[in-house]
Structures are given as C-alpha cells and as structure tokens.
Amino acid sequence: MIDETHDPARASWIASANGHADFPIQNLPFGVFSPPDGGTPRGGVAIGGSILDLWAAASAGLFAGAARDAAEAASGPALNPLLALGDGPRIALRRRLSALLDRDGPERGRIGKLADRLLHPIDRCALHLPAAIGDYTDFFAGIQHATNTGRLFRPDNPLLPNYKYVPVAYHGRASSVRVSGVPVRRPSGQRKPPDQPAPDFGPCRTLDYELELGIWVGPGNDQGVPIPIARAGAHVAGFCLLNDWSARDIQAWEYQPLGPFLAKSFHTTISPWVVTAEAMAPFRVPARPRGADEPAPLPYLSDAADQAGGGLAIRFAVALLTPRMREAGRAPHKLSAVGADALYWTVAQMVSHHTSNGCNLRPGDLFGSGTLSGADPGSFGSLMELTQGGRAPLMLPDGETRRFLEDGDEVILTAQATAPGRVPIGFGACRGVVLGAG
Amino acid sequence: MIDETHDPARASWIASANGHADFPIQNLPFGVFSPPDGGTPRGGVAIGGSILDLWAAASAGLFAGAARDAAEAASGPALNPLLALGDGPRIALRRRLSALLDRDGPERGRIGKLADRLLHPIDRCALHLPAAIGDYTDFFAGIQHATNTGRLFRPDNPLLPNYKYVPVAYHGRASSVRVSGVPVRRPSGQRKPPDQPAPDFGPCRTLDYELELGIWVGPGNDQGVPIPIARAGAHVAGFCLLNDWSARDIQAWEYQPLGPFLAKSFHTTISPWVVTAEAMAPFRVPARPRGADEPAPLPYLSDAADQAGGGLAIRFAVALLTPRMREAGRAPHKLSAVGADALYWTVAQMVSHHTSNGCNLRPGDLFGSGTLSGADPGSFGSLMELTQGGRAPLMLPDGETRRFLEDGDEVILTAQATAPGRVPIGFGACRGVVLGAG
C-alpha cells in the first residue's frame, strides 16, 4: 500500500533527514537504542541523523488509538511486542510519525517544542539488536551463489536437483547474532586440508563474509497451522542487512551430512534498523520470472500477487577496510554490488515454505535470504566466490591482496532501495571488524 | 559428587515415592506445572506421584541461603533463572528438599502440616516445558544410528570421514519443541519418490520417531569464550528424553546440501522433568573407549576425568500404542531398548565442541544427543532402522504391521538409570500421539 508517507514531496523539519541516503522521512525504520546519557534500551525511529525516542514521544501524549498501541509496544528493550501486533498498528504509527515529522505538518509547532526531549543524535547513541530473536533461519535463495559455491564442491553438478523446487534453508544459531559494530572474534575449529591425513584444531584460516538480506518476522503462526502464500505478507514486518560470517575451512570438514554448524554459529551481524514492509512498498517489483527450462513453483508456493510484486528493488554493496587502509585514512574499498533480483525465491515463498510443515514462526524470528551474488565477479557476495576459493587473490588499492579476511579487516554492508519518482531509502550500515583468535 | 541425597536407605514420608520407578527421593527432578485448580505455571519437584510446589514451599519459609535463591529462581513459569544459577544453589536446594522429604528427617513434622498446600497429585497437574529454549541443537552422537542411516544413503561408505573426529550436530528448531503429551500433527511437505520425475506436495508418508537423550544447558558462556572440556560439567544442568520426530520423505528430498530442515522442525517432544546432573552422579560410568582403529579425540575434546566418568548408565525404551491396541485395552508394545553407551561422544565433549568456535550457550538451551541405536535390531532407535527404510515391516502383537507411523499411533519413550547398590531413577514418559495432516 503506497500512501502519503511515501510522498516524494514530503520533507522533514529535521534538516538532516532531507536527502539522507538511508533515513529520509519516507523510511522511518524502527530500532532499539540507549540514549547518550546512558538510559535503558528503548525503541526509536531513525530520522536523518537523529533517533526519535518512542517512549518519550508516547509519554508526551503524541499518539492515540492504534498508533499509541504500537508506540507503547515499541517502548521497551526489544521490539518483539511491536512485531507481534502486525501491520495495522505499525502502519498507524508510521502515518502518525510521518505527520509529526513533516516540515509542513499541522503539529510542527507542538512537536518542535519537545525536540530536545524526543531526539538524540544517532551517532552518540548505542544501538542494540532490535528484537530478541527466537529462531534464526538462513535460506539459500541466491541462485548464482548456490551455483558458484556448488561448483567448488561439485564442478559438474553445481546446482542440486531440489534447488528449483525447494526454498532450501537451514536453522541458524540465534544466540550469536549481534548488531552492527560488535567485533567478530576469529573462530577456531577443526581444519583438515586435503593434503593432511587428519584434522587439527586451530584458528580459521579462511574467514569469509556473506552478504544477505535479513527479514524480520511479524505475528507468526500457531504450530500445525501453515501460512498460505497469499497471507505471507502480513507476517513480514521488515528488513535488515545480514552478514553471515563463515569459516570455510571449518565448514568444509564439518558440514557432511547435517549442514553448516560451527562454521557459522560463532557470529552473525545484522544492521540495527527494521526497515518496515510499509517503507518498502514503493520498491516492490515483479518476482524473478521462471525460465522456460525451469519448473513452475508448486501450488503452495504460487501466488499471482506475489509473482507481480514479490521482488524488491534493492541494490546492495560490500566494502572492505583493511588496517593499512584505515591507517592511510582511505575510504573503504568496494568489493561488489548486487541486486535483490539475485534471489530465486520471494520472501513470501520463504514464509510459506517454512510453515508448510506446521512449523510455527514467532514475532522477532529472523531469516537470512542466503548470499546475494550476480553473474559477474563484481556482483559476488562472498570472498570464496570473488577469489575462487582463495586461488585468485583480490588486489586492493594500495597493493594489498586478500584471499580471505585478515585480522583487523572490517566488512561493511550497505544497501539502498530505489524506484522511479521515489525518494530512495537505505538500511544503515552492517559492519564488523575481525579480531584475532582468542 | 555423591552425597547423602543418594543414600539408598533414604525413604520419603510421601509413600508413593518409595519404590517409584521414576521419582524416588533419590531423584528430585525439576519441572514447571500448573496445579489442578488452574493457577499460573510454576516450578515444582516430582516426588513419587506428587509434585512439590517450589513457590509455595519458598513462601512457607522452608528454604534459606543458596537453597532459597534456587527455589525462588525456580518459582516462575520457566526454569531459566534456576539453570542460570549453576550447580551451587541447585545442589543446596536438592539437599534441603531431600532432608525435608526424608521420612526420618528432623523437620518431618513441620513440613507434614503443610502438605496440603505444598503437594499436588502429578496426574491432575498440567505439565509445561521446563524452560524457554533459546537454541536447540541436535547432535548425531549415536554411532550405530549414524552407520545404519548412512548405509541407506551410502551403502559402501556409511560413516563419513569426519564422524570420529567431529561431534557432528546441526541447529534444530526451538519454537516447535513441545512437552510430552502434546499431539503431533503429521506434517505435509515436498515428496519426491525415486520413480517420480518431479516432487509433489502432500502429507508425509514416512513419519518416524527418533529416540534421544536431551541435555539442558546451565549457565553457559560469553560469546568468543569457549568452555574447556574440564569445565563443561558445570554447564550441564540436567537431562530429559527427546523424540526427534522425523519426516523421512521430506528429509530425503530437502536435506542436500544444508541438512535437515522441515523434516524435523514441525515438532520435537521432550519429557517434562529436568533430571539434574546431581541426581545422575551415581550413574556415571567410563566413557566409550576408543578402539585400536579409532582416532584419539583431539586435545580440546580430551579430558581424563571425562574419560573416566563421562558415560551414563541409562537404559532407554521405545513403545508403540496403536489405535487398535488402545481399543483392545492392550499395553503399549515395546519396540526396542538401548543404553546410553550407544553414544560415541560424551556430553562434555558436546559442550566443549559446541563452544570451541566461540558460540555462546545460554541457560535453557537444549541439546539432543542424536538417535540412540545399538548393534542389533532390538536396540534400534527409529523405525527407519527397524524396518530397513520401510522394506521390512514390523509385526505387532495383534497382527498389525508398521513400516512407519500411522495416524493415531502413540510413541512412548522411557528410561531408567541404574547402578549397583543404588536406587534406580527415571525421567517420566515422553509421549506423543500422531494426528492426521491438517
């Protein structure tokens, strides 16, 4: 639903929002922050370079009805209660926030007087995980990534026979998901290079990132009651960026027959803001069409509306900042860029598949899309793909090279949603610095 | 540590406890229940045919010091706070409970007068999950099961090369774990028999159970700080029985390359009681010795004390009650029995491996051991093994046969820990009836 909150002519009286790459008034993502004075974590909304404190705004009586319900649900240390409410109250709160922050809104005078109490500079706040993650599921929906990595293991048969029928996924580790900015300790584990007769234990030698879209689950379903694809959208609360840090040597040795475990469970980084499904409405595009040689999705994964609007016009980028670049005062070096059209499956197909066996989703569950990679190297979403498993090192600007991540390297994911005639919106960065093994 | 709480001469003034197969005074497992009058869920201790209400006992002033801390932590609707406290307060509470319930205890008169307020008949109470499960991890430590099932997929190479080095595991689904007694809805999903060119979607045709030992995690660790094997025991709060319901047809089609997902995530059943590590102390036996042709565990998985006492003298049994047996008033039919010596890896090795990459465990995390199967069919822990993938149907007493589970079938797991000169203790049943697909 596209409404007045998306109006490209709407600007905010918070000047930093206008023209902001991530958080113009057309975005209004939710997150959890601690204010500069060190108060308790609470819900907030990013607007330009500021965070609007939802608890303070609710206390000031700025909301009524469903918008007040949503603001109160978002006032605590985790947004799960807001996510549980579903899109009705969330949309009401969004509309009210958009009106309050509108440069030409009728209540500009009223809220302007409260600005000191309501607003905090974003870069002086601590940002937290937006929700307590009950379960984290990682999909494998980037078909080119599945092909590229499959080729490393199975050159003649990169894509397995189930790929175009099943939205393949595995359960991830919820406890080790951390917000952007938390350093990432290099994991140790069992490593068994092919030329070694037995494994040994030590620090990962082939640490990698994976660029993914994160998806926040809204109300969810009761156990035993699948979510039909036509109703899946109501259970998608919003989006973030996700770095599925991966220890390739640990993974290669451990993953048969039950899939990735310690190779992924040491750390997953997400961006701090829930960019709502509402904010994303203008950026919906047709889902990836099926080729003539590709099977139609099974009926439980087929929906005309999802086919027409299940795609997302988002472009993602990965950048790397090495210690040498940091010392030289260089900007991060862009490694790749890719669009969400890299996904073979839509988010609605993921929701419907996940619950098709009766598995229950809960508010605050998190999905990863799977690594986003395009057809050419400039669009690959991991170093394993960019360096062909380490065989072809990357050249960096100052003559440095990388096969995999080294200690001190920082990986920075960013993304922007764009559409003709619309104000672009972003996600905020998803970043993490690699620390040496403990 | 074996102390007076394990004294085989100790009996309780609660007569049903003495000689009770599961809950004599030497056990004292913790759980969460609602009393018959419908009060809020709260912590309790099973003693014979009764539950002692910990909140009521704490309110009556029966505990002091560390025992009171533990009882108060166990008074709410989930035992996570108790699990977080670690073994010091838990052991103090156990000792105090044992003294209070002792037929010859000095305070028998005092507590006897309170019995009406403190005790509820177990079969008139509703039992709940004992803790909110943050993450659920399923290991694959039953080596004969790994061999039996590997043979179905890879006849020449049943056990993969990593098996004897890596305590293989995968992340399971926490949201769909349910307590014993909750019916299990047959899942639907994609099925692709070999003779069919493409998959279709429908009810699982090959529904199975898996017999496992469940492990409750205690305090846990900070991210990035592994738990050394010598300290792993302090993070194991207790044990339960676990049925890892499995949809074999869904699993066969979906599981490559990332492991089981919807084949398992529709439902997992656990028994209601946390049988504490303390209660299990007399039943510790040497860990499974490594054969001459088997590699020694890597150093991070090696510990002399664990080798000496990391095994558990527990015998498990699986029984089946079909609708026809139920109508005929028959008792459940025993399908198999197996010991915990089926496990290639100890619980301490699981804890240490799980955290070796820095992954953080949290109080209330749950592990499954992997399916317990012995060498002969009478000890196989799943129908897939008992019927050779459905090729050799089981004969049941009334002439019925089973390849896999049918609607209305109830699977009942039980277990008992025994040791010479010790009073055996049990777990309570882990049961679930299969309902038809929705």
Side-chain angles (χ1 to χ4, degrees):
Chain A
M1 184 185 61
I2 299 182
D3 61 22
E4 77 283 0
T5 64
H6 304 102
D7 183 350
R10 184 167 283 192
S12 176
W13 51 267
I14 298 175
S16 64
N18 304 320
H20 196 280
D22 288 329
F23 309 132
I25 193 171
Q26 287 79 10
N27 192 345
L28 304 176
F30 296 100
V32 172
F33 75 103
S34 295
D37 62 11
T40 54
R42 65 195 70 180
V45 174
I47 175 76
S50 296
I51 299 176
L52 177 90
D53 182 331
L54 284 166
W55 176 80
S59 303
L62 291 174
F63 307 117
R68 187 176 62 197
D69 296 345
E72 287 175 357
S75 292
L79 298 181
N80 302 68
L82 174 68
L83 301 175
L85 285 180
D87 53 7
R90 209 173 59 223
I91 288 171
L93 177 57
R94 171 184 173 77
R95 289 183 130 154
R96 177 66 180 155
L97 287 166
S98 180
L100 287 170
L101 294 167
D102 184 350
R103 188 173 54 193
D104 304 316
E107 297 188 80
R108 184 181 168 179
R110 181 179 172 201
I111 189 174
K113 292 200 197 83
L114 299 168
D116 281 356
R117 280 165 57 191
L118 301 185
L119 295 169
H120 302 285
I122 207 167
D123 49 15
R124 293 190 51 223
C125 296
L127 289 161
H128 308 290
L129 283 182
I133 300 164
D135 279 285
Y136 159 47
T137 299
D138 202 12
F139 283 84
F140 193 50
I143 186 170
Q144 192 64 45
H145 170 76
T147 306
N148 292 344
T149 55
R151 191 171 287 131
L152 296 175
F153 297 107
R154 298 173 303 275
D156 301 329
N157 187 23
L159 214 53
L160 290 165
N162 59 6
Y163 190 86
K164 292 183 178 179
Y165 292 97
V166 179
V168 170
Y170 69 101
H171 306 296
R173 179 79 191 177
S175 74
S176 55
V177 179
R178 290 292 176 274
V179 77
S180 177
V182 177
V184 179
R185 176 74 61 189
R186 179 182 298 271
S188 290
Q190 291 193 28
R191 312 161 302 183
K192 195 200 155 296
D195 58 349
Q196 206 173 282
D200 60 9
F201 182 89
C204 168
R205 297 185 180 110
T206 49
L207 184 62
D208 203 353
Y209 61 83
E210 290 191 347
L211 165 66
E212 303 195 19
L213 174 68
I215 297 124
W216 287 104
V217 172
N221 58 311
D222 289 335
Q223 193 170 16
V225 185
I227 299 175
I229 188 163
R231 292 211 289 274
H235 299 276
V236 177
F239 303 92
C240 64
L241 305 180
L242 186 150
N243 184 343
D244 177 26
W245 302 93
S246 297
R248 301 298 177 195
D249 44 4
I250 298 174
Q251 186 175 0
W253 174 236
E254 76 167 357
Y255 92 106
Q256 286 281 21
L258 299 183
F261 182 54
L262 299 187
K264 308 272 196 173
S265 65
F266 57 99
H267 203 121
T268 301
T269 302
I270 58 172
S271 58
W273 298 102
V274 180
V275 176
T276 61
E278 298 75 72
M280 203 55 75
F283 308 104
R284 301 203 76 97
V285 293
R288 183 188 183 285
R290 293 292 182 261
D293 58 340
E294 290 176 339
L298 291 181
Y300 79 103
L301 298 174
S302 297
D303 179 65
D306 187 50
Q307 193 55 41
L312 295 165
I314 308 174
R315 289 283 295 175
F316 302 80
V318 185
L320 178 68
L321 186 69
T322 69
R324 196 189 295 181
M325 289 159 67
R326 195 179 297 118
E327 279 160 31
R330 275 189 176 273
H333 174 69
K334 185 168 162 181
L335 296 178
S336 66
V338 63
D341 57 350
L343 296 172
Y344 191 82
W345 300 104
T346 66
V347 172
Q349 286 171 325
M350 295 177 195
V351 168
S352 211
H353 181 67
H354 202 316
T355 62
S356 64
N357 68 341
C359 179
N360 55 315
L361 302 180
R362 296 178 293 189
D365 283 352
L366 178 69
F367 296 173
S369 62
T371 305
L372 300 164
S373 291
D376 66 288
S379 65
F380 289 172
S382 71
L383 283 176
M384 179 164 67
E385 294 166 87
L386 283 168
T387 69
Q388 299 172 42
R391 287 190 298 276
L394 280 184
M395 289 295 280
L396 300 177
D398 281 342
E400 291 186 279
T401 60
R402 283 294 182 279
R403 295 172 191 273
F404 288 97
L405 294 171
E406 299 190 3
D407 294 347
D409 285 354
E410 182 170 18
V411 177
I412 304 155
L413 313 183
T414 53
Q416 208 168 38
T418 59
R422 295 291 168 188
V423 176
I425 65 173
F427 291 76
C430 175
R431 50 203 305 162
V433 177
V434 176
L435 302 181
Chain B
M1 186 185 59
I2 299 182
D3 61 22
E4 77 281 1
T5 63
H6 304 103
D7 183 351
R10 184 167 283 191
S12 177
W13 51 267
I14 299 174
S16 63
N18 304 320
H20 196 280
D22 288 328
F23 309 131
I25 192 171
Q26 287 80 8
N27 192 346
L28 303 176
F30 296 100
V32 172
F33 74 105
S34 296
D37 63 11
T40 54
R42 64 195 70 180
V45 174
I47 175 76
S50 295
I51 299 176
L52 176 89
D53 183 331
L54 284 166
W55 176 81
S59 303
L62 292 173
F63 308 117
R68 187 177 59 198
D69 296 343
E72 287 176 356
S75 293
L79 298 180
N80 302 67
L82 174 68
L83 302 175
L85 285 179
D87 53 8
R90 209 173 60 222
I91 288 172
L93 177 57
R94 171 184 173 79
R95 290 182 130 156
R96 176 66 180 155
L97 287 166
S98 180
L100 287 170
L101 294 167
D102 184 351
R103 187 172 56 192
D104 305 316
E107 297 188 80
R108 183 181 168 180
R110 180 178 171 201
I111 190 175
K113 292 200 197 84
L114 299 168
D116 281 356
R117 280 164 57 190
L118 301 184
L119 296 168
H120 301 285
I122 207 166
D123 50 14
R124 292 190 51 225
C125 296
L127 288 161
H128 308 288
L129 283 182
I133 300 164
D135 278 285
Y136 159 46
T137 300
D138 201 13
F139 283 85
F140 193 52
I143 186 170
Q144 192 63 47
H145 171 75
T147 307
N148 293 344
T149 55
R151 190 171 288 129
L152 296 175
F153 297 106
R154 298 173 301 277
D156 302 328
N157 186 25
L159 214 53
L160 290 167
N162 60 4
Y163 190 86
K164 292 183 178 178
Y165 292 96
V166 179
V168 170
Y170 70 99
H171 306 296
R173 178 78 192 177
S175 74
S176 54
V177 179
R178 290 291 176 275
V179 76
S180 176
V182 177
V184 179
R185 177 73 62 188
R186 178 182 299 272
S188 291
Q190 291 193 28
R191 312 161 302 185
K192 195 201 155 298
D195 58 349
Q196 207 172 282
D200 60 9
F201 182 90
C204 168
R205 297 184 180 110
T206 50
L207 184 63
D208 203 353
Y209 61 84
E210 290 191 346
L211 165 66
E212 303 196 20
L213 174 68
I215 296 124
W216 286 104
V217 173
N221 58 310
D222 289 334
Q223 192 170 17
V225 185
I227 298 175
I229 187 162
R231 291 211 290 273
H235 299 277
V236 177
F239 303 93
C240 64
L241 305 179
L242 187 149
N243 184 343
D244 177 26
W245 302 94
S246 297
R248 301 298 178 196
D249 44 4
I250 297 174
Q251 187 173 359
W253 174 236
E254 77 167 359
Y255 91 107
Q256 286 281 21
L258 300 182
F261 183 54
L262 299 186
K264 307 273 194 171
S265 65
F266 57 98
H267 203 121
T268 301
T269 302
I270 58 172
S271 58
W273 298 101
V274 180
V275 175
T276 61
E278 297 75 74
M280 203 55 75
F283 309 104
R284 302 204 75 97
V285 294
R288 182 187 184 286
R290 293 292 180 261
D293 59 340
E294 289 176 340
L298 291 183
Y300 79 103
L301 298 174
S302 296
D303 179 65
D306 187 50
Q307 193 56 38
L312 295 165
I314 308 175
R315 289 284 294 174
F316 302 81
V318 186
L320 177 68
L321 186 68
T322 67
R324 197 189 295 182
M325 289 159 67
R326 195 179 297 117
E327 279 161 32
R330 274 189 176 275
H333 175 69
K334 185 168 161 180
L335 296 179
S336 67
V338 64
D341 57 350
L343 295 173
Y344 190 83
W345 300 104
T346 67
V347 173
Q349 286 171 325
M350 295 177 198
V351 168
S352 213
H353 180 66
H354 202 317
T355 62
S356 64
N357 69 341
C359 179
N360 55 317
L361 302 180
R362 296 179 292 189
D365 283 351
L366 177 69
F367 295 173
S369 63
T371 306
L372 300 164
S373 291
D376 66 286
S379 64
F380 288 172
S382 70
L383 284 176
M384 179 163 69
E385 294 165 87
L386 283 168
T387 69
Q388 299 171 42
R391 287 190 298 275
L394 280 184
M395 288 295 279
L396 300 177
D398 281 341
E400 289 187 280
T401 60
R402 282 293 181 280
R403 296 173 190 273
F404 288 97
L405 295 172
E406 299 190 3
D407 293 347
D409 285 355
E410 181 170 20
V411 177
I412 305 154
L413 312 183
T414 54
Q416 210 170 35
T418 60
R422 294 292 168 186
V423 176
I425 65 172
F427 291 76
C430 176
R431 49 203 305 162
V433 177
V434 176
L435 302 182

